[in-house]
Amino acid sequence: HIGPAPATTSADGGGGEEESRSVAVTKALIYGCINAVVCAPVMISFASIIFRHPTFHRDAATYARLVKLVLFSSAVHQTVFVTTSSLVFAVGQVQDAGLIFLSSMANQVVEALEKRQAPYDEVIATALVALASSTTLLGLALV
């Protein structure tokens, strides 16, 4: 339970509520750090699954940006889930079920554009727009 701890009384008779609030904030920060330590490697592995096509690995700087994009996307997802959830213990971890579909779509976009000899930047941009659009449309359909 991350919510406020029960009020305690201090020896001087005051400040108990303030102390319990600081304990609750400390616990929340510790849980957040543990969640970040556990989730960051998982999100990096998700990026490696989504962007497994060799084209994404052609430029190390571009691949690093793609990994950062997945980390940022995960952070946004978790923040929205935690702030809008009615569950006080909500974590909001991104699920792995859709990864195979995202990976397949990214691969298909890359292969189709490489057949047309599209520039590298265009291939990366088109793949990202396709993934973002399909994810957005799925989210809207589920709401």
Side-chain angles (χ1 to χ4, degrees):
H1 171 21
I2 296 178
T8 58
T9 57
S10 61
D12 62 346
E17 236 178 86
E18 186 176 307
E19 182 179 321
S20 65
R21 176 80 176 145
S22 67
V23 168
V25 168
T26 302
K27 282 183 179 180
L29 289 173
I30 290 170
Y31 291 148
C33 288
I34 291 170
N35 188 35
V37 167
V38 170
C39 291
V42 172
M43 292 303 107
I44 292 169
S45 69
F46 284 3
S48 71
I49 293 169
I50 295 168
F51 302 113
R52 67 184 168 93
H53 195 281
T55 298
F56 294 115
H57 299 267
R58 186 181 305 163
D59 178 29
T62 300
Y63 185 70
R65 284 189 213 107
L66 294 173
V67 171
K68 290 175 190 174
L69 182 63
V70 171
L71 289 169
F72 176 73
S73 173
S74 170
V76 169
H77 174 270
Q78 291 178 12
T79 301
V80 169
F81 187 83
V82 168
T83 57
T84 61
S85 177
S86 61
L87 305 172
V88 295
F89 53 84
V91 174
Q93 174 64 32
V94 176
Q95 298 298 307
D96 61 350
L99 291 180
I100 57 171
F101 301 108
L102 292 173
S103 178
S104 177
M105 286 187 287
N107 286 343
Q108 289 177 10
V109 167
V110 169
E111 289 173 11
L113 290 176
E114 284 184 342
K115 282 181 186 175
R116 297 180 184 166
Q117 298 178 346
Y120 179 73
D121 291 341
E122 186 179 312
V123 172
I124 300 298
T126 305
L128 289 176
V129 169
L131 295 177
S133 300
S134 62
T135 303
T136 301
L137 290 173
L138 176 62
L140 291 173
L142 292 175
V143 175

